[in-house]
């Protein structure tokens, strides 16, 4: 039985998925761009099968759209879809925040503080990728501590739709108010006030949802 190792295929699929998703979110593959499995397989050093599986997952998640026997291409940034995604992701973050606050340890709070320092520094420096990574790291502490796998999966699925627009706005010099909101969130978490923390979380994600009203195409 030692020779039966299907995990390798899954890892290749996941590698292709992560690489293509990151490129779409970063804007390296622009909305409307046609993607081809043969081309991406060559660029990633993979066979076409895991790339096709990655494409299928990205279609399900709304980052790609496909017409059978015709094309697979990057979806446009659609205001209504971004607002819907922000509402869903925000609701999941409120849920995990309420569950996580009573369980947070000092080390978790310290991790959130360090992430927010990195976030503020990245925003100040105009480092869009660094800011979004730090933002994810901060909120991921609460997702991890809450231990709600369904909520974590929902956040992972829909956050890229928001990040794509958020990254573009930051890259165009858009302002970001989240560093101060993060500080309020951390203060509420440190005080053990789950409801206050949830209210700040709702405010953070409402702010992100508002991005959809400003500039989409």
């Amino acid at each position: 039985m030692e020779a039966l190792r299907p995990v390798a295929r899954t890892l290749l699929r996941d590698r292709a998925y992560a690489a293509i998703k990151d490129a779409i979110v970063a804007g390296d593959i622009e909305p409307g761009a046609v993607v081809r499995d043969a081309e991406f397989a060559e660029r990633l050093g993979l066979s076409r099968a895991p790339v096709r599986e990655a494409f299928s997952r990205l279609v399900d998640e709304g980052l790609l759209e496909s017409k059978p026997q015709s094309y697979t291409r990057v979806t446009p940034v659609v205001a209504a879809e971004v607002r819907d995604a922000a509402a869903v992701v925000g609701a999941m973050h409120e849920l995990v925040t309420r569950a996580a606050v009573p369980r947070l340890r000092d080390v978790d709070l310290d991790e959130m503080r360090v992430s927010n320092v990195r976030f503020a520094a990245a925003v100040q420096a105009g480092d869009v990728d660094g800011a979004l990574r730090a933002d994810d790291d901060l909120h991921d502490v609460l997702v991890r501590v809450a231990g709600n796998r369904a909520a974590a999966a929902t956040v992972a699925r829909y956050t890229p739709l928001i990040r794509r627009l958020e990254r573009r706005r930051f890259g165009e010099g858009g302002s970001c108010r989240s560093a101060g909101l993060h500080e309020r969130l951390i203060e509420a978490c440190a005080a053990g006030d789950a409801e206050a923390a949830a209210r700040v979380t709702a405010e953070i994600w409402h702010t992100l949802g508002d991005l959809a009203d400003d500039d989409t195409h």
Side-chain angles (χ1 to χ4, degrees), residues 64-152:
L64 293 178
E65 57 187 3
S66 182
K67 182 177 180 181
Q69 309 302 320
S70 182
Y71 61 77
T72 300
R73 64 189 180 195
V74 178
T75 57
V77 179
V78 179
E81 293 177 0
V82 175
R83 284 195 299 269
D84 288 348
V88 170
V89 172
M92 292 300 98
H93 275 292
E94 288 182 59
L95 176 68
V96 300
T97 296
R98 288 190 176 92
V101 168
R103 306 176 186 176
L104 288 169
R105 303 165 299 165
D106 288 343
V107 66
D108 299 317
L109 293 167
D110 287 344
E111 187 176 348
M112 293 174 71
R113 292 185 182 104
V114 169
S115 295
N116 199 34
V117 170
R118 288 171 40 226
F119 177 84
V123 170
Q124 182 67 29
D127 178 2
V128 179
D129 291 330
L132 295 182
R133 281 195 301 270
D135 186 69
D136 283 338
D137 289 345
L138 188 154
H139 291 285
D140 283 349
V141 173
L142 296 169
V143 174
R144 183 187 71 239
V145 172
N148 186 322
R149 295 177 63 184

Side-chain angles (χ1 to χ4, degrees), residues 143-167:
V143 174
R144 183 187 71 239
V145 172
N148 186 322
R149 295 177 63 184
T154 303
V155 167
R157 173 167 182 165
Y158 292 105
T159 296
L161 293 173
I162 306 165
R163 290 300 193 219
R164 194 158 56 134
L165 174 60
E166 197 176 3
R167 190 189 188 285

